[in-house]
Amino acid sequence: MRWLLLTLVAAGAGFWLGRTSLSDLPERFRAPTPHEQYAHQLEVAGLDGAALGRLWERAAERAVAEAPRVEAPFRETGYLDSSRPDAVGYRFSARAGQRLTFEVRLEPATNALIFLDLFRVRDTGPDGPRAERVASADSGVLRLVHEPSRDGTYLIRVQPELLRGGRYTLTATTEPTMAFPVEGRGPGSVQSYFGDPRDGGRRDHHGIDIFAPRGTPVVATTRARVRSVRTTPVGGRVVWLRDEARSQSIYYAHLEEQLVERGMWVEPGDTLGLVGNSGNARTTPPHLHFGIYRRGVGPMDPLPFVRPLATEAPPAFAAEPGSMRRVTEPETRVRTGPTASSGELDRLDREVPVRVLGVAGDWLRIELPDGRRGWIAGRLTEPASPLRTAWMDAPAPLREAPTAESPEIARLAPGERVDVLGRSGDHLYVRAGTRAAWLPLSAPE
């Protein structure tokens, strides 16, 4: 009923949500996301209370609660097991003025539904992050683009529909939403930043100063309308642009010459004027004062809007998602994220086998023998090839996990051969024929 009411409210208000559901709107006015619609379908089918439905919902919650912090550009090649509901999530910092792009590629390509949802993390408490959804990809679309309206921590969640999975590659990139405003220059030409003190600390700098030779072209950073061309005592010769798409104004000051007129439309790269030092900058070297102002916010730091960022993620460690690998060093640290500064989850002894769930740069996202998940440096592992061979001298159980309480999935007969692949506690990880499972340590001789 709630789902139907949300749909009717959104339709009645005439909301167009496009390819991404950009939602600074209150939650009660949003149309349900594809993820929410699918959850509703499970409810209608009576699966929300069944084991699979509950596991699917818990996987979604777990992906948010346990999402590690990463940095863009980020790329992970991973594996989602179709035999059990699963999801992955990642947290990262982003700033107003940047464009976030997330893409998922399935290998091989299928028509499986993959849900992409972006959240803004409000805060983190004892129960994990409190996240508010800000964007969702349309059903069947494996790409999500979003421009944050404010600085903060954001979280992307990827989840397939029930009983679907396989190999995937997720890429996350961050780029500026605008071109650099001085032709042939870049961030290295900025010598005064947003928030720097002015007039002995009586006021803050509301822009960035980009130094360049007198007469260097000053260009439009985005498609916009020229709102004002005038001369003022402080800014000297100035040009104001109105960026209608983002409901903000762009300010160019201290120009030597203005080359546009009020009311004109300009495109990125169009020349607006020339670098100078007019106004109260007449005692300084030629430079452009560049500012951005947004209604309800006031002056904003322009640097994230125009600073180019890296777009290529580091190359991936050579490990296959879905495969088993083995720890090679004693006291190997398992981290909560793919960095050496991430929190420590556990320490593993040599020969402990782990399942590779994903590969991101030099790090492996792994599942431990007890089901916990974390990250380990790939160089501290090796393929779980046989360490040695053993023969059974008595019947022995093969178990799902390395505990005496774990379900028995098979029983080995006397004289049967096993290949030992690893060890955890008082159990060996062995392969018997085509099966790989856990055997009590005292069983083989």
Side-chain angles (χ1 to χ4, degrees):
M1 186 67 185
R2 179 177 177 271
W3 175 83
L4 178 60
L5 180 60
L6 284 170
T7 304
L8 291 174
V9 170
F15 290 134
W16 159 242
L17 295 179
R19 187 162 62 182
T20 60
S21 302
L22 304 178
S23 50
D24 288 329
L25 298 170
E27 183 68 30
R28 64 183 179 274
F29 292 129
R30 300 182 194 150
T33 68
H35 190 279
E36 292 167 340
Q37 293 179 37
Y38 185 76
H40 176 70
Q41 293 171 11
L42 296 181
E43 181 182 353
V44 170
L47 291 177
D48 64 317
L52 272 179
R54 289 197 303 271
L55 288 174
W56 191 82
E57 293 172 354
R58 288 172 187 168
E61 295 168 356
R62 177 179 179 178
V64 172
E66 300 181 0
R69 183 176 289 275
V70 300
E71 292 184 4
F74 176 79
R75 180 176 65 244
E76 184 198 45
T77 297
Y79 178 80
L80 293 169
D81 190 344
S82 61
S83 67
R84 57 181 181 179
D86 207 351
V88 294
Y90 302 97
R91 286 186 295 163
F92 52 92
S93 298
R95 301 197 62 187
Q98 296 176 335
R99 180 181 297 111
L100 313 177
T101 302
F102 306 93
E103 293 188 82
V104 174
R105 186 177 72 250
L106 302 178
E107 304 171 11
T110 70
N111 60 354
L113 285 178
I114 304 292
F115 304 105
L116 296 181
D117 294 282
L118 182 67
F119 303 84
R120 181 170 179 267
V121 179
R122 293 289 192 179
D123 51 42
T124 301
D127 298 325
R130 187 167 64 93
E132 174 188 46
R133 186 189 65 86
V134 295
S136 297
D138 277 352
S139 181
V141 176
L142 300 181
R143 187 169 187 265
L144 189 155
V145 180
H146 181 70
E147 294 184 15
S149 61
R150 66 192 79 177
D151 298 352
T153 298
Y154 291 80
L155 188 155
I156 185 70
R157 183 182 65 195
V158 181
Q159 184 171 28
E161 61 182 317
L162 270 176
L163 303 179
R164 302 297 290 269
R167 184 185 174 101
Y168 69 90
T169 297
L170 167 70
T171 59
T173 57
T174 305
E175 60 183 346
T177 55
M178 298 181 178
F180 203 76
V182 178
E183 187 175 279
R185 296 283 157 162
S189 298
V190 178
Q191 296 183 25
S192 181
Y193 294 87
F194 184 83
D196 284 352
R198 288 290 188 270
D199 295 340
R202 290 191 296 275
R203 65 182 181 90
D204 294 335
H205 192 213
H206 288 169
I208 56 176
D209 289 343
I210 305 165
F211 286 77
R214 188 182 306 276
T216 302
V218 168
V219 299
T221 58
T222 188
R223 187 174 193 274
R225 178 176 54 84
V226 178
R227 196 186 76 184
S228 174
V229 178
R230 55 185 174 142
T231 300
T232 67
V234 175
R237 298 181 182 89
V238 305
V239 171
W240 283 89
L241 300 184
R242 180 62 182 170
D243 178 4
E244 301 289 357
R246 299 177 182 87
S247 299
Q248 62 191 20
S249 297
I250 307 171
Y251 178 56
Y252 298 77
H254 307 316
L255 300 176
E256 177 75 11
E257 187 176 352
Q258 300 138 309
L259 301 177
V260 289
E261 297 179 355
R262 184 176 182 273
M264 292 175 59
W265 281 90
V266 293
E267 301 291 337
D270 287 352
T271 300
L272 308 176
L274 305 176
V275 169
N277 62 343
S278 57
N280 67 356
R282 58 186 174 273
T283 60
T284 68
H287 67 275
L288 169 70
H289 172 89
F290 180 72
I292 295 177
Y293 297 79
R294 186 173 290 176
R295 181 174 295 175
V297 178
M300 303 180 70
D301 186 354
L303 198 55
F305 287 81
V306 299
R307 178 171 54 192
L309 300 169
T311 58
E312 290 295 325
F317 182 82
E320 186 66 24
S323 68
M324 296 295 294
R325 293 184 70 85
R326 184 171 54 234
V327 175
T328 59
E329 302 293 331
E331 292 290 297
T332 293
R333 289 174 171 83
V334 179
R335 302 286 185 179
T336 57
T339 66
S341 61
S342 298
E344 187 175 311
L345 179 67
D346 202 350
R347 295 192 183 191
L348 303 181
D349 291 332
R350 185 184 296 142
E351 296 189 357
V352 172
V354 295
R355 182 178 299 279
V356 178
L357 302 177
V359 183
D362 295 331
W363 291 84
L364 306 180
R365 184 166 56 87
I366 60 168
E367 184 175 73
L368 300 174
D370 62 7
R372 289 179 299 161
R373 296 181 176 187
W375 294 82
I376 193 171
R379 60 183 173 80
L380 302 179
T381 69
E382 64 184 3
S385 55
L387 291 167
R388 57 190 178 275
T389 299
W391 284 266
M392 307 305 302
D393 63 352
L398 279 179
R399 300 189 181 279
E400 282 187 358
T403 64
E405 299 77 24
S406 179
E408 181 178 318
I409 61 175
R411 181 160 284 269
L412 299 177
E416 192 165 351
R417 167 183 164 169
V418 296
D419 292 323
V420 178
L421 308 178
R423 171 178 175 169
S424 179
D426 58 358
H427 281 70
L428 296 176
Y429 187 63
V430 303
R431 184 169 59 224
T434 59
R435 296 187 301 260
W438 293 92
L439 182 68
L441 184 60
S442 60
E445 296 292 342

